[in-house]
Amino acid sequence: RIWSGLNIPVHTALPSQQPLGRIADLTNKGDFDKLLISEFANDDLVFLSRLANNEALYIRREVPPSNNNLQRVILIDVSLKNWGTPKTIAYAAMLAIAKHPKTDVECTAFAIGDSYHPISIDNIEDIIDGLKILGSTLHAANGLAKFFKEHPADKNREVFVIMEPSTLNRGGMLKALNEYHSFINYWIHTDAEGNI
């Protein structure tokens, strides 16, 4: 269920899982520069109607990865607002990303609070030990800053941050997120109702 709700590319290098071309690359969502040329052949009113109703067709070509040395880093906020259900759902999302059956991307995880701690996801006992890591701060700005200072940006790295959305209201967290915004590729928010 979590896999189906997350729209994250799998970056697989297997030929059977590459875009096929032709009809398989058509979609009804995209940028205007990817709009099919045949859409412009319609009358102006029909063209605008198709755009407004999401009926216009776009081409979605993905370039196959030339080398798959990508690494994913998942940062889970373990500060006070993220205890309980949000943290449990965050770990479930982290496992869904890291252990997806169609990807072979290396994945590492860290719990961030006042500092950051590596989380091993190799077996159940390690995951249980990771769930026991709790932060005593109101937000994870210090842990986020320490992580990015010790692990500088890398073009072959995707960074996921999983946190409860109300922590974004803290001034220190907003400052840290503004400073390191360009290093973070994906934001995933979990809440006390179990929503992602």
Side-chain angles (χ1 to χ4, degrees), residues 28-42:
N28 64 345
K29 295 177 183 168
D31 299 325
F32 287 114
D33 62 331
K34 305 277 192 290
L35 198 62
L36 284 181
I37 294 174
S38 62
E39 291 292 340
F40 294 109
N42 292 320

Side-chain angles (χ1 to χ4, degrees), residues 122-192:
D122 295 331
N123 56 45
I124 295 173
E125 290 79 19
D126 291 339
I127 295 168
I128 292 170
D129 289 341
L131 280 166
K132 293 177 184 175
I133 299 173
L134 299 172
S136 59
T137 58
L138 291 175
H139 54 78
N142 291 339
L144 202 62
K146 285 180 184 177
F147 176 82
F148 285 118
K149 283 179 184 167
E150 295 180 19
H151 299 86
D154 183 6
K155 66 176 183 164
N156 290 326
R157 182 177 72 188
E158 287 182 332
V159 177
F160 294 73
V161 175
I162 306 176
M163 63 176 47
E164 206 271 336
S166 68
T167 57
L168 298 174
N169 298 333
R170 301 282 176 192
M173 193 64 184
L174 285 173
K175 181 179 179 256
L177 293 178
N178 190 28
E179 188 175 341
Y180 301 109
H181 185 268
S182 61
F183 300 154
I184 300 169
N185 301 87
Y186 296 97
W187 298 90
I188 300 174
H189 296 289
T190 59
D191 61 20

